[in-house]
Amino acid sequence: MKNWGLWLIIGIISLLGGFFALANPLAATFSATLLAGYMFMVVGALTMVSAFQTEGWGGRIWAILFGLVMLFLGFHIVGEPLKGTLTLTFAAAILLLAAGIFRILMAFAVDGGQVRMILIISGIISLLLGGMILANFPQSATVVLGLFLAIELISNGVSLIVLSLASRKAA
């Protein structure tokens, strides 16, 4: 990392953003919802543009349809952020449950006690988190995405700070 100072600044900004999101998870939840909505719109538009780069009508039609669905989803989330928050929180809970089940199943396909135990513990944590969200749904929707965003920003900030300082010492 040549520009360790720039990475350090980005890490500090990410860390501070995580603490601000942790201080007001409701605002962070709506920010995350709007960001997701805008990203769906961008991906939808780019998918539709790339459809015309595809050879043959079969792939082109599917890409256009997928792009339209993504655009619709993005406009829906941005147009009605409260409903979008509910939808995204429910999807996060379902994904956590699916990831938990997948990790536990993977644990029995792996040889080795320590790796198996880590996968089982990780799977149980995902199942618990998904279950906690669903058990308190829709009330949990007001803070879950904001907390996830805060944790991700803090984790990202710490890792960037550590990496930038390590690269400074190596240089």
Side-chain angles (χ1 to χ4, degrees):
M1 292 173 68
K2 289 182 180 180
N3 296 328
W4 67 267
L6 179 62
W7 289 109
L8 178 65
I9 291 169
I10 294 170
I12 292 169
I13 291 170
S14 181
L15 187 64
L16 291 173
F19 287 130
F20 285 126
L22 200 56
N24 191 350
L26 179 61
T29 293
F30 284 122
S31 297
T33 299
L34 290 174
L35 180 64
Y38 288 125
M39 292 308 296
F40 279 123
M41 285 191 267
V42 168
V43 168
L46 291 176
T47 301
M48 290 177 59
V49 168
S50 72
F52 296 102
Q53 314 274 327
T54 305
E55 300 271 336
W57 278 100
R60 186 172 295 165
I61 290 173
W62 283 111
I64 291 170
L65 287 174
F66 181 71
L68 285 172
V69 168
M70 296 296 279
L71 271 173
F72 173 76
L73 184 61
F75 279 114
H76 172 71
I77 290 172
V78 171
E80 298 187 48
L82 185 57
K83 286 184 181 178
T85 298
L86 291 171
T87 303
L88 290 175
T89 302
F90 186 76
I94 297 301
L95 287 173
L96 282 167
L97 291 173
I101 292 169
F102 179 74
R103 285 188 191 117
I104 291 171
L105 291 175
M106 285 295 296
F108 294 106
V110 175
D111 290 332
Q114 188 173 14
V115 173
R116 177 175 290 156
M117 188 56 68
I118 290 171
L119 284 171
I120 290 173
I121 291 170
S122 175
I124 290 171
I125 290 171
S126 292
L127 287 173
L128 288 172
L129 289 172
M132 287 169 56
I133 293 170
L134 289 179
N136 197 26
F137 192 79
Q139 292 84 3
S140 61
T142 58
V143 295
V144 166
L145 298 178
L147 287 175
F148 283 2
L149 177 63
I151 293 167
E152 174 58 28
L153 287 170
I154 291 169
S155 172
N156 183 58
V158 168
S159 64
L160 286 175
I161 291 168
V162 168
L163 284 173
S164 68
L165 294 176
S167 72
R168 183 183 117 207
K169 288 180 183 176

